[in-house]
Amino acid sequence: MSRPQLRAASADRAVRDRACFEPLAGGRPRRAPMRRRGAACAWLASAALVLGLGFAPSASVAQVAAPILTPTQPPFPAPSPAPSPDWPPPPEAGAIRVAVFNASLSRRGAGLIWKAILDRQDQVRAFAAILRDVRADVIAVLELDHDADGLAVTALAALLAETAPDGTPGLDYAHRYAPEVNTGVPTGLDLDGDGDPAGPGDAQGYGKFAGQYGIAVLSRLPLDVEAARSFRRTLWSDMPGGLMPTRFYPREAEGVLRLSSKTHLDLPAVLPDGRRLHLLISHPTPPVFDGAEDRNGRRNHDEIRFWADYVSGAGWIRDDAGGEGGLAAGEGFVVLGDLNADPADGDGRREGIRALLTHPRVQDPAPTSPGGAAAAEAQGGANARHRGDPARDTADWRDERGPGNLRVDFALPSTEWEVTGAGVWWPAPDDPRAELVEGGRLPASSDHRLVWVDIR
């Protein structure tokens, strides 16, 4: 979710009358001036030539190796003193750490996030410090703008590989995958009913340009890209019993509008013992910024429901390559995503997320943090009315005239795995690292918190 979405939503009276679900997000400058899109694209193309990386906008998926990239600024100062040695604890022997982080690494134009990474902007440096602290073996990074050549994810991996100024070792994410997403892909239909079929709200997923708010996977474990299954093109109308509000949309929408607002991806990672871990990754649309028809609430529900159907082996499912059926029984997986749904609080149709959390093949580690409960108590507002455990919160949102802090980010392993640990990276207020998650109009890192689970 982005600030452009908030501006678009503010024009709709129905939206103004509802609580904002996600008031802060990635499409903002974060202390760096924004350039016009045309200038940004020109910079992107010329810089690509200088670095010898090429620029092929027609490519659909970026799977890239890391070239040597030279930042335009010297290494950044340590954002905080050395971390506490006891939190987060390292994985137990034989366990791997899997994480998800909506990092809000999105900007207002194509290519700008790549420049932000090369420039070592403050928010990017905070992101890197968090990842170096958690040290996940594999992580799904959400809201990283997609580019066809994988320039942004390559630059991000190069940054993470550097040793931090405080001596914290870098992270070697030799395996990366950045799938194409639906955001900003035009439908040619007036989906939001504003009379203009070419706005960001008329795309397959909300976005001002193709690839905004994308997804990337960084891993030290090999990724079986050839076996990956994408469900980006699955039509919403293909889901049996789906909640698509057909009377609201133009008649043609049933044959055009896709279920996934970004993508639904099954990407196998290969463990050291040869077993495969299916990474089931998505980022459903927030269930607000609509009207009485509840089109976004309905879509959010069905995007989450997709995974419940998939791990149940539902026969209606067909991937983008034509493969039929869901995940086979006995295949181990982890559901990773900012699902934009809290099982106890906030807006949305909570039966969708509750059904996933209680699915017989899914474990909910119910991770907590040292800082979530303290933040909810200090901020008050909507938090004082919540029913859920604030220690499980993963998003820090507006407390007055907003939803407050919610649990919307999940790392849910299947029952095939032993869970040895889990957590939410939200430091206690007296921890020096808390400065990396300070809120406000421009959060230091993101308005979301990284979530991890350790399995073996």
Side-chain angles (χ1 to χ4, degrees):
M1 182 59 51
S2 69
R3 187 158 290 151
Q5 286 171 291
L6 284 172
R7 287 197 294 268
S10 67
D12 186 337
R13 184 175 182 82
V15 173
R16 291 198 301 267
D17 291 339
R18 298 178 66 179
C20 290
F21 187 77
E22 192 169 356
L24 293 172
R28 53 182 176 269
R30 293 236 171 77
R31 306 183 182 91
M34 291 295 100
R35 292 160 173 78
R36 292 177 299 174
R37 183 174 178 179
C41 291
W43 182 91
L44 178 65
S46 60
L49 293 174
V50 170
L51 291 172
L53 296 174
F55 189 30
S58 61
S60 62
V61 174
Q63 183 195 7
V64 291
I68 298 176
L69 300 177
T70 302
T72 57
Q73 293 181 2
F76 59 89
S80 64
S84 168
D86 56 357
W87 186 86
E92 294 185 8
I96 63 166
R97 175 161 290 173
V98 185
V100 61
F101 189 14
N102 181 334
S104 294
L105 292 173
S106 182
R107 296 296 186 264
R108 296 178 180 176
L112 291 178
I113 190 58
W114 182 38
K115 185 177 187 304
I117 296 168
L118 295 180
D119 286 348
R120 302 300 195 256
Q121 289 183 6
D122 291 346
Q123 183 221 358
V124 175
R125 293 180 284 166
F127 164 85
I130 293 171
L131 262 64
R132 289 195 189 101
D133 199 36
V134 175
R135 313 197 71 78
D137 295 296
V138 57
I139 182 168
V141 180
L142 311 181
E143 291 200 6
L144 173 68
D145 291 341
H146 176 82
D147 64 85
D149 279 344
L151 304 179
V153 69
T154 297
L156 201 62
L159 166 62
L160 293 169
E162 298 172 0
T163 300
D166 65 1
T168 302
L171 298 164
D172 181 14
Y173 288 129
H175 308 279
R176 280 100 66 188
Y177 190 70
E180 194 173 10
V181 292
N182 282 329
T183 44
V185 175
T187 64
L189 303 176
D190 181 15
L191 296 178
D192 56 11
D194 67 354
D196 178 6
D202 303 308
Q204 293 287 359
Y206 185 98
K208 289 196 168 184
F209 58 89
Q212 193 173 21
Y213 319 120
I215 293 172
V217 179
L218 303 172
S219 179
R220 70 174 189 82
L221 305 173
L223 300 173
D224 190 351
V225 174
E226 296 301 319
R229 299 183 72 188
S230 167
F231 305 91
R232 185 177 69 91
R233 297 180 180 273
T234 298
L235 294 178
W236 191 355
S237 59
D238 286 345
M239 173 178 275
L243 303 181
M244 182 178 182
T246 54
R247 293 185 179 181
F248 172 81
Y249 289 122
R251 181 179 55 188
E252 302 87 349
E254 288 189 62
V256 174
L257 184 58
R258 298 167 183 172
L259 170 65
S260 183
S261 55
K262 282 83 176 177
T263 192
H264 282 65
L265 176 69
D266 175 354
L267 176 62
V270 183
L271 274 58
D273 61 6
R275 290 181 296 169
R276 291 173 183 269
L277 170 65
H278 290 262
L279 308 173
L280 308 184
I281 305 169
S282 64
H283 183 190
T285 192
V288 290
F289 308 117
D290 50 18
E293 83 292 337
D294 194 29
R295 65 187 186 275
N296 290 334
R298 290 167 177 266
R299 192 177 187 184
N300 173 271
H301 173 279
D302 284 355
E303 288 195 72
I304 296 171
R305 181 197 141 185
F306 176 88
W307 289 129
D309 285 6
Y310 186 67
V311 302
S312 297
W316 70 267
I317 294 174
R318 181 187 297 268
D319 63 37
D320 295 346
E324 297 182 348
L327 189 65
E331 293 287 334
F333 62 84
V334 176
V335 177
L336 298 170
D338 166 9
L339 301 185
N340 271 316
D342 186 303
D345 300 298
D347 257 322
R349 295 171 177 248
R350 287 190 280 275
E351 60 271 20
I353 185 62
R354 289 173 178 172
L356 181 61
L357 293 174
T358 59
H359 191 283
R361 290 196 66 186
V362 173
Q363 299 184 73
D364 179 10
T368 60
S369 72
E377 182 178 3
Q379 294 166 7
N383 297 300
R385 301 184 293 273
H386 284 178
R387 293 164 291 180
D389 182 355
R392 299 181 187 178
D393 288 342
T394 68
D396 186 1
W397 291 330
R398 287 194 301 196
D399 310 299
E400 301 296 337
R401 296 189 302 168
N405 304 341
L406 297 175
R407 182 193 183 195
V408 296
D409 304 89
F410 297 88
L412 305 171
S414 62
T415 54
E416 285 82 5
W417 306 103
E418 175 192 0
V419 175
T420 63
V424 178
W425 202 91
W426 196 329
D430 60 349
D431 187 321
R433 291 168 294 180
E435 68 183 17
L436 297 174
V437 294
E438 287 179 348
R441 181 172 173 271
L442 297 175
S445 54
S446 172
D447 50 347
H448 289 256
R449 304 293 176 258
L450 182 150
V451 177
W452 79 86
V453 63
D454 299 336
I455 59 175
R456 63 185 173 195

